[in-house]
Amino acid sequence: MRTGAQCTIDALADAGVKTVFGLPGGTVLDLFARLYHAPFEFILVRHEQGAAHMADGYARATGRPGCCIVTSGPGATNAVTGLATANMDGIPMVCISGQVASHMIGNDAFQEADTVGITRAVTKHNYLVKNVDDIPRIIAEAFEICQSGRPGPVLVDIPKDIQQKKTEATFSGPAERRGYKPRYEGAPEQIAALAKAINAARKPVILAGAGVIHANAAPELLALVEKTQIPVTTTLLGLGGFPDTHPLALRMPGMHGSVAANNAISECDLLVSIGARFDDRVTGKVSHFAPHAIKAHIDIDPSAISKSIRADIPVVGHAKPILQALLPLVEPVDRKAWLAHVAEWQTKQPFDYDRNTPELLAQYVIEQVSEVTRGEAIIATDVGQHQMWTAQFCKFVRPRSFVSSGGLGTMGFGLPAAIGAQLGCRDRKVVAIVGDGSIQMNFQELVVAVEHDLPIVVVILNNGYLGMVRQWQEMFYKSEYSAVRLAQDGRAANERMAPKRPEYRPDFVKLAEAHGAIGMRLTQKQEVATALRTALSSKKPVVIECIVKPDENVYPMVPPGASLTEMIHKLV
Amino acid sequence: MSKHEDGIHRHIITALVENQPGVLARVIGLISGRGYNIESLNVGPTQDPTISRLTMQVPGDDRVLEQVTKQLVKLIDVVKVTDLTQEAFLNRECILVKVAASRENRSEIIELAGVFGGTIVSVQAEALVIQIVGEQDHVGDFMELMKPFRILDVSRSGVIAMAKE
């Protein structure tokens, strides 16, 4: 006989879990009692949002499901942002939450929340366990569901009494659900139609998304490109799925995408999307997106197909077997004129910034991170200007190197995700590139990195602003900077702050040191490379605060609602 | 797809779903969360006690319906989804309608109900309650006819449907 708590821990071990993130509480005391003897590593976080993001970062970096355990009520609600982040980006994750005892459910009990109700819309699936006998099966199902098809987070809510009850139940699988049968192989006739379209196209482009990375299909994509010589643009979450250093790499498309990528999409006669879901930040104005192109869409999620962009050639399935089946059917075609056209955009209008200014620019720091790590590091980010600059100025050469919240756009993701990534990949260098606004959302998790001697490097690009919002206020709201200034001076009148303190709060160097990490502050260009090298060779976490030019904007920019050809290159 | 007088296309979608608590909330949450609308919804058990049938009438064009169908299929607890309006199907709705009826017009109302195969389920001094079962159009026509008599209350079951083949 085992208790429900023991069944849970055993099922996690059976699922191959190596690392669990979490924070205890009243309704998970039984789970934590068994966790004390668990055969896997447990990482105590400081806030449940951190636990969810760590599990997410672990999953993105390793390709294996992340796992976290949180208590009922506030424990679960704190994890919601992390679940929603993983859900939008299709990240495999299992979250176990405690729940008040079954007889108390619905009673407004202490630390009670309707966790399955709250998380229904932000998980791929969730369970409220009502019978202890179901635990082994449900957890096996949770791991199967979170990894298969379009991956996503699964939450299992286990009431306290169910954790305490005893059962003889075991589960030996397979974990199958009659309503859930993801399709992996693409339909042969659709693959044939796609091959025919590729062979006939004069001006084709590939749009590679996160699906390439999730499906471990980067080698297949490279083989396809080598054979067909089709240029590739890589979405934000697809970065690393195709090497940025390849001559046919057009880099990122969309709102802050490259001229080459956006022009190629706008002029192509065939767009082959592989595991990209046509996010509105990629398409711009939908009616003007790739207006001359036949659109082919490979996606494991049938609901992604024709959701925003009508697919002429839909292929439902996993990118890997589909690309494998496609490769022998495509032929090398001479498209010199198109490739010359594309190469001209690439060389004449690459991502750029003022490299001659003596001032320290965020873009410069990011480019230095890329050069010092040579594409070998895992780079995690928060959300905002620094995230876009990272996509523009870091060169990613292999999958699972870029860890960032794309769909939900979750600030405060980068540091905990970097910790999760480092725990999953002990042999890789991990750098979190963050802003001074976003880092303050989950700074507390730095202690976790210190406690576990994780040599992550946190690069804070401090421009004293919530920079991306500042940029939008400058461009679209008459430069009326409303609640975006983070430094003490220069606030709007209604913030009622006398401009008496020019200094910045908090002091990130002291904050890093207070957490037990090494802190550095850089203000000069020439300091950057050396500081990065020192930090990367440290055995302890290092926080490098870079005081960067405050009012830089991310360019190019496609204004919201505009087409991809309407790129702004600077404000006049 | 049926197109009504108001010009809005309506689809009838049936879904076989796991007969478990929370499944209805999942379906409704999905529909409302993605900004779709449901005109009617009917849920009941099937011959298999572990499966329920859900019948929904959803307004919208083909594109909206394609998304609703795909999103429903994506739910783990949804076993099968059919857009019945793509094929030959049977539909029925049951309504109870309370109509103001005086001594003078009571027999006229009863006669009309008879023509529609309706049943008088309650007779009161000033009103009649009529039950009509039939195709949606049939039920709708009867409602139109009752309007001049003053409809006091209506309860509709929502449409249920089944593919012919």
Side-chain angles (χ1 to χ4, degrees), chain A residues 35-47:
Chain A
L35 198 59
Y36 191 80
H37 305 281
F40 44 75
E41 158 185 59
F42 182 79
I43 306 296
L44 174 64
V45 303
R46 294 302 186 273
H47 185 289

PDB file of all heavy atoms in Angstrom, chain A residues 35-47:
ATOM      1  N   LEU A  35       8.903  13.736  -0.677  1.00  0.00           N
ATOM      2  CA  LEU A  35       9.932  14.336  -1.521  1.00  0.00           C
ATOM      3  C   LEU A  35      11.301  14.278  -0.840  1.00  0.00           C
ATOM      4  O   LEU A  35      12.342  14.216  -1.489  1.00  0.00           O
ATOM      5  CB  LEU A  35       9.532  15.795  -1.781  1.00  0.00           C
ATOM      6  CG  LEU A  35      10.176  16.552  -2.938  1.00  0.00           C
ATOM      7  CD1 LEU A  35       9.900  15.848  -4.254  1.00  0.00           C
ATOM      8  CD2 LEU A  35       9.591  17.972  -3.001  1.00  0.00           C
ATOM      9  N   TYR A  36      11.258  14.320   0.472  1.00  0.00           N
ATOM     10  CA  TYR A  36      12.495  14.257   1.284  1.00  0.00           C
ATOM     11  C   TYR A  36      13.326  13.032   0.917  1.00  0.00           C
ATOM     12  O   TYR A  36      14.537  13.029   1.006  1.00  0.00           O
ATOM     13  CB  TYR A  36      12.079  14.214   2.760  1.00  0.00           C
ATOM     14  CG  TYR A  36      13.197  14.407   3.755  1.00  0.00           C
ATOM     15  CD1 TYR A  36      13.667  15.681   4.051  1.00  0.00           C
ATOM     16  CD2 TYR A  36      13.769  13.305   4.406  1.00  0.00           C
ATOM     17  CE1 TYR A  36      14.685  15.861   4.977  1.00  0.00           C
ATOM     18  CE2 TYR A  36      14.781  13.478   5.332  1.00  0.00           C
ATOM     19  CZ  TYR A  36      15.234  14.756   5.616  1.00  0.00           C
ATOM     20  OH  TYR A  36      16.235  14.936   6.534  1.00  0.00           O
ATOM     21  N   HIS A  37      12.633  11.957   0.477  1.00  0.00           N
ATOM     22  CA  HIS A  37      13.318  10.700   0.148  1.00  0.00           C
ATOM     23  C   HIS A  37      13.349  10.454  -1.367  1.00  0.00           C
ATOM     24  O   HIS A  37      13.675   9.357  -1.796  1.00  0.00           O
ATOM     25  CB  HIS A  37      12.595   9.523   0.814  1.00  0.00           C
ATOM     26  CG  HIS A  37      12.438   9.675   2.295  1.00  0.00           C
ATOM     27  ND1 HIS A  37      13.457   9.416   3.192  1.00  0.00           N
ATOM     28  CD2 HIS A  37      11.390  10.096   3.050  1.00  0.00           C
ATOM     29  CE1 HIS A  37      13.039   9.645   4.426  1.00  0.00           C
ATOM     30  NE2 HIS A  37      11.790  10.076   4.370  1.00  0.00           N
ATOM     31  N   ALA A  38      12.978  11.465  -2.140  1.00  0.00           N
ATOM     32  CA  ALA A  38      12.806  11.244  -3.582  1.00  0.00           C
ATOM     33  C   ALA A  38      14.139  11.019  -4.285  1.00  0.00           C
ATOM     34  O   ALA A  38      15.166  11.553  -3.853  1.00  0.00           O
ATOM     35  CB  ALA A  38      12.092  12.433  -4.212  1.00  0.00           C
ATOM     36  N   PRO A  39      14.120  10.230  -5.364  1.00  0.00           N
ATOM     37  CA  PRO A  39      15.363   9.944  -6.090  1.00  0.00           C
ATOM     38  C   PRO A  39      15.737  11.029  -7.089  1.00  0.00           C
ATOM     39  O   PRO A  39      16.502  10.764  -8.006  1.00  0.00           O
ATOM     40  CB  PRO A  39      15.025   8.632  -6.813  1.00  0.00           C
ATOM     41  CG  PRO A  39      13.570   8.730  -7.080  1.00  0.00           C
ATOM     42  CD  PRO A  39      12.979   9.488  -5.926  1.00  0.00           C
ATOM     43  N   PHE A  40      15.168  12.207  -6.988  1.00  0.00           N
ATOM     44  CA  PHE A  40      15.540  13.283  -7.910  1.00  0.00           C
ATOM     45  C   PHE A  40      15.845  14.552  -7.130  1.00  0.00           C
ATOM     46  O   PHE A  40      15.533  14.661  -5.943  1.00  0.00           O
ATOM     47  CB  PHE A  40      14.454  13.534  -8.964  1.00  0.00           C
ATOM     48  CG  PHE A  40      13.056  13.548  -8.428  1.00  0.00           C
ATOM     49  CD1 PHE A  40      12.577  14.628  -7.713  1.00  0.00           C
ATOM     50  CD2 PHE A  40      12.196  12.468  -8.651  1.00  0.00           C
ATOM     51  CE1 PHE A  40      11.289  14.645  -7.219  1.00  0.00           C
ATOM     52  CE2 PHE A  40      10.901  12.486  -8.160  1.00  0.00           C
ATOM     53  CZ  PHE A  40      10.451  13.565  -7.445  1.00  0.00           C
ATOM     54  N   GLU A  41      16.434  15.501  -7.836  1.00  0.00           N
ATOM     55  CA  GLU A  41      16.880  16.751  -7.225  1.00  0.00           C
ATOM     56  C   GLU A  41      15.692  17.700  -7.042  1.00  0.00           C
ATOM     57  O   GLU A  41      14.827  17.789  -7.917  1.00  0.00           O
ATOM     58  CB  GLU A  41      17.936  17.310  -8.175  1.00  0.00           C
ATOM     59  CG  GLU A  41      18.250  18.759  -8.136  1.00  0.00           C
ATOM     60  CD  GLU A  41      19.236  19.117  -9.257  1.00  0.00           C
ATOM     61  OE1 GLU A  41      18.925  18.902 -10.459  1.00  0.00           O
ATOM     62  OE2 GLU A  41      20.301  19.629  -8.935  1.00  0.00           O
ATOM     63  N   PHE A  42      15.659  18.378  -5.909  1.00  0.00           N
ATOM     64  CA  PHE A  42      14.607  19.374  -5.697  1.00  0.00           C
ATOM     65  C   PHE A  42      15.227  20.754  -5.528  1.00  0.00           C
ATOM     66  O   PHE A  42      16.214  20.918  -4.806  1.00  0.00           O
ATOM     67  CB  PHE A  42      13.759  19.039  -4.465  1.00  0.00           C
ATOM     68  CG  PHE A  42      12.637  20.027  -4.272  1.00  0.00           C
ATOM     69  CD1 PHE A  42      11.479  19.921  -5.036  1.00  0.00           C
ATOM     70  CD2 PHE A  42      12.756  21.089  -3.391  1.00  0.00           C
ATOM     71  CE1 PHE A  42      10.455  20.860  -4.904  1.00  0.00           C
ATOM     72  CE2 PHE A  42      11.735  22.031  -3.257  1.00  0.00           C
ATOM     73  CZ  PHE A  42      10.593  21.908  -4.014  1.00  0.00           C
ATOM     74  N   ILE A  43      14.649  21.740  -6.194  1.00  0.00           N
ATOM     75  CA  ILE A  43      15.163  23.103  -6.147  1.00  0.00           C
ATOM     76  C   ILE A  43      14.109  23.993  -5.474  1.00  0.00           C
ATOM     77  O   ILE A  43      13.006  24.180  -6.010  1.00  0.00           O
ATOM     78  CB  ILE A  43      15.443  23.638  -7.569  1.00  0.00           C
ATOM     79  CG1 ILE A  43      16.374  22.699  -8.355  1.00  0.00           C
ATOM     80  CG2 ILE A  43      16.011  25.065  -7.509  1.00  0.00           C
ATOM     81  CD1 ILE A  43      17.763  22.555  -7.799  1.00  0.00           C
ATOM     82  N   LEU A  44      14.468  24.502  -4.309  1.00  0.00           N
ATOM     83  CA  LEU A  44      13.558  25.386  -3.582  1.00  0.00           C
ATOM     84  C   LEU A  44      13.635  26.796  -4.153  1.00  0.00           C
ATOM     85  O   LEU A  44      14.701  27.427  -4.117  1.00  0.00           O
ATOM     86  CB  LEU A  44      13.928  25.409  -2.094  1.00  0.00           C
ATOM     87  CG  LEU A  44      13.149  26.399  -1.238  1.00  0.00           C
ATOM     88  CD1 LEU A  44      11.665  26.052  -1.203  1.00  0.00           C
ATOM     89  CD2 LEU A  44      13.719  26.459   0.173  1.00  0.00           C
ATOM     90  N   VAL A  45      12.522  27.267  -4.675  1.00  0.00           N
ATOM     91  CA  VAL A  45      12.487  28.613  -5.254  1.00  0.00           C
ATOM     92  C   VAL A  45      12.040  29.610  -4.188  1.00  0.00           C
ATOM     93  O   VAL A  45      11.773  29.232  -3.047  1.00  0.00           O
ATOM     94  CB  VAL A  45      11.533  28.651  -6.473  1.00  0.00           C
ATOM     95  CG1 VAL A  45      11.952  27.630  -7.505  1.00  0.00           C
ATOM     96  CG2 VAL A  45      10.083  28.407  -6.036  1.00  0.00           C
ATOM     97  N   ARG A  46      11.923  30.894  -4.575  1.00  0.00           N
ATOM     98  CA  ARG A  46      11.484  31.880  -3.608  1.00  0.00           C
ATOM     99  C   ARG A  46      10.090  32.422  -3.922  1.00  0.00           C
ATOM    100  O   ARG A  46       9.496  33.152  -3.152  1.00  0.00           O
ATOM    101  CB  ARG A  46      12.495  33.037  -3.551  1.00  0.00           C
ATOM    102  CG  ARG A  46      13.855  32.617  -3.019  1.00  0.00           C
ATOM    103  CD  ARG A  46      13.746  32.017  -1.615  1.00  0.00           C
ATOM    104  NE  ARG A  46      15.061  31.742  -1.025  1.00  0.00           N
ATOM    105  CZ  ARG A  46      15.746  30.618  -1.191  1.00  0.00           C
ATOM    106  NH1 ARG A  46      15.243  29.616  -1.923  1.00  0.00           N
ATOM    107  NH2 ARG A  46      16.927  30.456  -0.608  1.00  0.00           N
ATOM    108  N   HIS A  47       9.576  32.083  -5.077  1.00  0.00           N
ATOM    109  CA  HIS A  47       8.233  32.514  -5.474  1.00  0.00           C
ATOM    110  C   HIS A  47       7.781  31.504  -6.520  1.00  0.00           C
ATOM    111  O   HIS A  47       8.576  31.105  -7.383  1.00  0.00           O
ATOM    112  CB  HIS A  47       8.316  33.927  -6.078  1.00  0.00           C
ATOM    113  CG  HIS A  47       6.981  34.536  -6.418  1.00  0.00           C
ATOM    114  ND1 HIS A  47       6.217  34.097  -7.460  1.00  0.00           N
ATOM    115  CD2 HIS A  47       6.297  35.555  -5.847  1.00  0.00           C
ATOM    116  CE1 HIS A  47       5.098  34.832  -7.526  1.00  0.00           C
ATOM    117  NE2 HIS A  47       5.132  35.724  -6.559  1.00  0.00           N
TER     118      HIS A  47
END
